[in-house]
Amino acid sequence: MASSAPPHCSITSTKSYQNDHYPQNHLQNQHPNHHWRSSHNFSLGSSSPATRNAAKPGNAPLSRSPNFSSLSPLPSSKTELGADFRGRRSTRFVSKMYFGRQKAATGSRHTSVAEEVLERAIRFGGDEQTLETVLRSFETKLSGSDDYTFLLRELGNRGECSKAVRCFEFAVQREHKRNEQGKLASAMISTLGRLGRVDLAKSVFETANTEGYGNTVYAFSALISAYGRNGFCQQAIEVFESMKASGLKPNLVTYNAVIDACGKGGVDFSRTVELFDEMVRNGVQPDRITFNSLLAVCSRGGLWEEARNLFNEMVYRGIDRDIFTYNTLLDAVCKGGKMDLAFEIMSEMSEKNVCPNVVSYSTMIDGYAKAGKLEEALNLFNEMKFVGIGLDRVSYNTLLSIYAKLGRFEEALGICREMEGSGIKKDAVTYNALLGGYGKQGKYDKVKEVFEEMKAENVTPNVLTYSTLIDAYSKGGMHKDAMDIFREFKQGKLKADVVLYSALIDTLCKNGLVESAVGLLDEMTRGGIQPNVVTYNSIIDAFGRSATGQFQEDADDGVNELQPESLMHLDLEEAVECKVGDKEENNQVMRVFGQLADEKVRYSKEDTKRKSQEILCILGIFQKMHQLKIKPNVVTFSAILNACSRCNSFEDASMLLEELRLFDNQVYGVAHGLLMGCSEKIWLQAQSLFDEVKSMDSSTASAFYNALTDMLWHFGQRP
DNA sequence: GTAGGGTTAG
């Protein structure tokens, strides 16, 4: 049986982690199965020039640039499933408004007058007029753009957006040198970007260009960064292109900003590497931050091999690795589900004098939790406390969500108290975790109570709050409550996202309304919201179950409106725009919920004709996923294998299995091979596949295993 | 110009 230990990783060295801090017995108490160990012969893959350019034969990953072969995964004797197969959850980019970071005082060129003005502006500045007065009274003493740049940045750091803008306007009017005005504009754009005000950043940029001081590499770079950090990756890339078109040469900061935007915007690794290659071609040498941002691209996609190769490339180029490098690498490896390797990397950190911090621990803990190893995750929390690392907002929320998922609400509430004791107020993330936890346990009274508390505490629900609630109530068959929540969502200004749509689609699917679900899928795509693998998995699963529902033809309820066809074109956008009481009868989603609540949906009987149509539907969906470059994962495969088990003919099943081949020859090979009869070779491949599946969380693993054995059993009965 | 958490599929 193949080992789940990563290559190059020592399993013999037993030197304990951070011996000086750690009594051995503590380690044993906390880690019955797991000792931190430093492994001297561990390396993150090979970094010798002779082997770094070795290309992986055969099944190359999708995202790889031929121009950057050093980033290719190393040859592997062991078959590895793609990260996508592993069914890791998608991580959406959420704009974070954390803005409390003070800029280090190094290299600042402002005068002490600027600091005094800042202090006054904050202390007295209740409004812009006061700021104006302060600025005027110090006008002659403030020395040029450096002082004003300092001021507007610092005002920005304190969240004083309008004051920062006023300060910028004041300064730029009094400045006559174009390059100085340009400096002010770049600083303003960057500050607005940090404040999440991309709209203002863009208008400052445009004004600067109209006035003739905005056509600089700095202003472009600042705007790229503003777009990037706020999740507008496409715009960031467009600005980058327009910058080159206008004859400006991007510098290191520009490239770093655009590469970072790619990471935040979910751009393919291969596409991002093209930017990297372009950068190198143009003689701009990448630095630590370039690599850290590239690593972040890998971390989003769980591309742990690519991340490891990037790390080796840094070693090879002599670029220092800092805590960001390690934490981002750790995250990529954790998201790739390689917890053993992540563990080794964490050990190596201490050895290289890069001390794991609260982020390193949170990353590992989240990795363990997502792998279903909740006890390991909790042990790490204890260890973190033991080494004296305090918990912050993120780690408290991570811990809370673990307890909530486990249904250990006493402990979860204990964490809430501890949080508040440390002066951290419960935020939307905290409440969402509680709502999700209670929802999963079917404690709907608690769900209502917590949601009420959330409002009473003035914590604004976000889209995820609504998705969580709609999902919870729908799964509990409480369609009336789900409808109420959806109505409340519509009343707000929030925009539906892929998660909300997926939750609605899944509800429709679970109630047999697959056609309606497909209608909603079309609509979200039209509305510019990309479905993801989860969305498609719901639909494939529904088709695979051959449960096609339709509305009861009940004369009292207006027969024509209740035909399934009328639900083919659900329009959530329209639904979102219409206010409560305002033509609610035209709101299709609301109507579906209403019908579900009144139990007006019944299931049609399974019939052979329908089944073969559904197989075609599954194939169509699969092709659509392929077109959209959405890679199926283990859940998709399980759903398809389940559909195979329901096929009447071996030919139909083969057709579905053939589709698996499009994406993953290994899964296909094993499924097909086992179906055709076991040879020694197939059995070895199957062993390796099962090993890989075994490292996933237990419910995922057993779902896949059951789906496969069901399919084999189903056809094994036939001659 | 850089890192971690909450959600949807099984």
Side-chain angles (χ1 to χ4, degrees):
Chain A
M1 197 174 278
S3 155
S4 60
H8 307 286
C9 129
S10 162
I11 49 170
T12 51
S13 171
T14 52
K15 183 183 155 194
S16 62
Y17 170 68
Q18 288 189 344
N19 257 335
D20 20 1
H21 302 225
Y22 264 92
Q24 188 67 29
N25 63 346
H26 171 76
L27 271 171
Q28 278 160 354
N29 290 340
Q30 297 302 330
H31 295 282
N33 309 315
H34 242 152
H35 290 259
W36 287 117
R37 52 188 177 251
S38 73
S39 38
H40 298 290
N41 53 351
F42 165 67
S43 93
L44 296 157
S46 166
S47 55
S48 72
T51 52
R52 22 183 297 283
N53 289 323
K56 185 179 180 179
N59 54 333
L62 294 173
S63 54
R64 182 139 55 83
S65 161
N67 296 331
F68 198 5
S69 56
S70 53
L71 300 185
S72 310
L74 296 162
S76 163
S77 56
K78 185 176 149 232
T79 42
E80 297 281 7
L81 297 178
D84 298 278
F85 177 81
R86 308 186 57 87
R88 49 151 219 286
R89 286 157 179 84
S90 60
T91 41
R92 253 170 22 117
F93 171 70
V94 179
S95 156
K96 286 176 181 154
M97 284 301 294
Y98 176 71
F99 198 63
R101 197 162 49 113
Q102 299 265 340
K103 200 180 160 121
T106 50
S108 64
R109 285 176 292 208
H110 63 275
T111 63
S112 57
V113 183
E115 293 189 14
E116 195 180 337
V117 174
L118 177 68
E119 203 175 300
R120 285 176 188 239
I122 293 159
R123 197 152 24 111
F124 305 118
D127 54 54
E128 287 169 37
Q129 197 51 49
T130 326
L131 174 71
E132 185 89 20
T133 318
V134 173
L135 288 173
R136 279 187 196 285
S137 62
F138 283 88
E139 193 179 338
T140 52
K141 291 184 193 155
L142 283 167
S143 121
S145 67
D146 285 342
D147 274 352
Y148 288 110
T149 302
F150 166 81
L151 269 173
L152 65 90
R153 278 195 198 279
E154 288 304 313
L155 286 168
N157 279 346
R158 287 160 179 78
E160 300 277 10
C161 182
S162 55
K163 283 186 197 167
V165 172
R166 190 61 207 101
C167 177
F168 165 72
E169 286 167 345
F170 184 91
V172 89
Q173 277 163 16
R174 281 155 183 78
E175 180 60 67
H176 297 295
K177 294 193 205 93
R178 276 199 180 175
N179 64 333
E180 297 299 307
Q181 288 174 317
K183 279 186 197 170
L184 288 164
S186 308
M188 191 68 251
I189 293 164
S190 135
T191 298
L192 289 167
R194 286 173 178 279
L195 283 164
R197 301 300 304 268
V198 240
D199 46 340
L200 292 176
K202 182 170 184 271
S203 79
V204 168
F205 177 81
E206 281 167 352
T207 310
N209 267 290
T210 321
E211 304 289 323
Y213 55 88
N215 196 32
T216 70
V217 176
Y218 301 100
F220 273 100
S221 302
L223 188 64
I224 291 167
S225 156
Y227 276 127
R229 70 164 67 239
N230 289 286
F232 299 99
C233 174
Q234 199 47 51
Q235 284 89 332
I237 292 173
E238 281 164 19
V239 173
F240 176 68
E241 294 302 332
S242 72
M243 166 180 180
K244 289 189 286 186
S246 71
L248 288 168
K249 281 182 78 171
N251 64 16
L252 177 62
V253 173
T254 322
Y255 277 111
N256 285 351
V258 75
I259 287 173
D260 196 60
C262 288
K264 293 196 167 70
V267 171
D268 273 359
F269 182 61
S270 58
R271 171 78 188 91
T272 315
V273 168
E274 283 171 21
L275 284 167
F276 179 92
D277 289 333
E278 178 192 314
M279 169 179 188
V280 175
R281 264 201 316 277
N282 292 336
V284 180
Q285 283 310 307
D287 68 352
R288 189 184 70 244
I289 291 176
T290 320
F291 275 94
N292 288 352
S293 293
L294 279 172
L295 280 166
V297 178
C298 298
S299 106
R300 271 189 65 93
L303 306 174
W304 63 277
E305 289 169 297
E306 285 84 347
R308 197 168 63 164
N309 290 319
L310 280 168
F311 187 94
N312 291 337
E313 188 72 22
M314 290 176 84
V315 176
Y316 178 71
R317 287 173 182 252
I319 297 170
D320 284 341
R321 281 82 59 204
D322 63 3
I323 186 79
F324 285 78
T325 316
Y326 274 104
N327 285 348
T328 316
L329 173 66
L330 262 187
D331 195 38
V333 174
C334 287
K335 291 215 164 61
K338 297 282 166 193
M339 292 313 295
D340 291 343
L341 178 58
F343 187 87
E344 291 296 329
I345 293 166
M346 187 121 156
S347 314
E348 196 194 80
M349 285 174 74
S350 321
E351 220 177 282
K352 297 275 161 64
N353 287 325
V354 182
C355 262
N357 62 8
V358 63
V359 176
S360 328
Y361 273 95
S362 306
T363 306
M364 287 293 289
I365 288 162
D366 187 58
Y368 276 126
K370 292 241 169 38
K373 297 178 173 173
L374 297 174
E375 286 307 320
E376 272 102 331
L378 293 175
N379 284 341
L380 263 190
F381 265 112
N382 291 331
E383 181 173 306
M384 188 176 154
K385 284 186 182 168
F386 188 86
V387 293
I389 297 173
L391 274 77
D392 64 0
R393 172 180 299 282
V394 172
S395 38
Y396 270 122
N397 280 336
T398 308
L399 181 55
L400 177 83
S401 104
I402 292 172
Y403 282 131
K405 278 194 187 115
L406 287 169
R408 287 159 66 169
F409 295 110
E410 278 309 311
E411 282 143 306
L413 295 175
I415 295 302
C416 290
R417 284 191 289 273
E418 207 178 308
M419 270 176 91
E420 302 208 7
S422 327
I424 302 170
K425 285 207 74 174
K426 291 207 277 283
D427 62 6
V429 178
T430 322
Y431 280 107
N432 290 350
L434 285 172
L435 293 169
Y438 281 126
K440 288 227 163 32
Q441 303 287 325
K443 297 182 187 301
Y444 302 111
D445 289 346
K446 281 287 181 188
V447 171
K448 286 182 183 168
E449 198 181 302
V450 170
F451 191 45
E452 287 307 314
E453 183 196 317
M454 180 175 184
K455 287 177 179 166
E457 294 287 329
N458 285 320
V459 177
T460 315
N462 58 23
V463 192
L464 290 174
T465 316
Y466 290 108
S467 308
T468 305
L469 288 169
I470 289 171
D471 182 65
Y473 288 139
S474 297
K475 285 205 170 65
M478 301 164 71
H479 300 293
K480 169 75 170 57
D481 296 272
M483 182 165 72
D484 292 341
I485 294 295
F486 183 68
R487 183 186 290 121
E488 188 180 317
F489 165 77
K490 289 188 309 167
Q491 286 177 276
K493 289 200 178 358
L494 293 170
K495 196 175 164 358
D497 67 354
V498 60
V499 177
L500 187 95
Y501 267 106
S502 299
L504 291 171
I505 285 172
D506 191 56
T507 300
L508 297 176
C509 286
K510 289 283 188 311
N511 287 282
L513 300 165
V514 197
E515 290 94 338
S516 305
V518 172
L520 205 48
L521 177 73
D522 287 343
E523 185 217 308
M524 70 184 275
T525 314
R526 279 200 309 274
I529 299 167
Q530 272 278 326
N532 61 22
V533 65
V534 178
T535 327
Y536 281 107
N537 285 348
S538 286
I539 292 177
I540 290 175
D541 186 64
F543 275 129
R545 284 179 198 285
S546 212
T548 300
Q550 48 186 239
F551 284 110
Q552 225 166 28
E553 294 182 18
D554 186 338
D556 297 337
D557 280 313
V559 180
N560 292 334
E561 285 187 349
L562 300 176
Q563 292 300 314
E565 300 82 62
S566 71
L567 293 160
M568 290 288 283
H569 307 290
L570 291 172
D571 197 332
L572 186 56
E573 281 306 307
E574 190 183 287
V576 168
E577 279 165 24
C578 90
K579 295 291 167 202
V580 190
D582 176 19
K583 291 185 183 174
E584 198 165 86
E585 70 275 11
N586 288 335
N587 181 337
Q588 302 268 29
V589 173
M590 294 297 289
R591 185 142 40 113
V592 175
F593 273 128
Q595 295 299 320
L596 290 173
D598 296 340
E599 295 182 11
K600 290 280 165 58
V601 173
R602 62 176 165 79
Y603 295 92
S604 66
K605 285 197 185 114
E606 285 190 18
D607 66 75
T608 311
K609 207 174 154 193
R610 185 125 220 165
K611 263 189 187 173
S612 58
Q613 281 174 346
E614 294 199 342
I615 287 159
L616 292 176
C617 290
I618 293 178
L619 293 177
I621 289 170
F622 222 76
Q623 278 152 10
K624 190 75 192 168
M625 286 175 80
H626 191 51
Q627 274 170 21
L628 294 174
K629 296 204 168 94
I630 298 167
K631 280 171 267 175
N633 60 22
V634 62
V635 182
T636 325
F637 293 136
S638 299
I640 288 180
L641 291 174
N642 282 329
C644 286
S645 300
R646 292 181 175 83
C647 285
N648 294 311
S649 72
F650 186 79
E651 285 70 34
D652 284 349
S654 298
M655 210 156 69
L656 283 177
L657 283 181
E658 191 70 34
E659 288 296 308
L660 291 180
R661 178 178 238 161
L662 249 177
F663 294 97
D664 200 310
N665 241 333
Q666 192 197 354
V667 182
Y668 166 81
V670 169
H672 193 253
L674 289 174
L675 195 57
M676 302 311 278
C678 297
S679 69
E680 182 69 12
K681 189 177 160 232
I682 288 295
W683 190 240
L684 282 175
Q685 280 180 16
Q687 286 286 327
S688 155
L689 176 67
F690 292 152
D691 267 357
E692 194 72 17
V693 172
K694 218 167 58 186
S695 77
M696 302 172 188
D697 70 283
S698 58
S699 65
T700 302
S702 53
F704 179 76
Y705 189 77
N706 289 340
L708 186 59
T709 48
D710 281 356
M711 197 259 318
L712 294 175
W713 184 85
H714 182 70
F715 289 107
Q717 302 304 306
R718 290 152 202 262

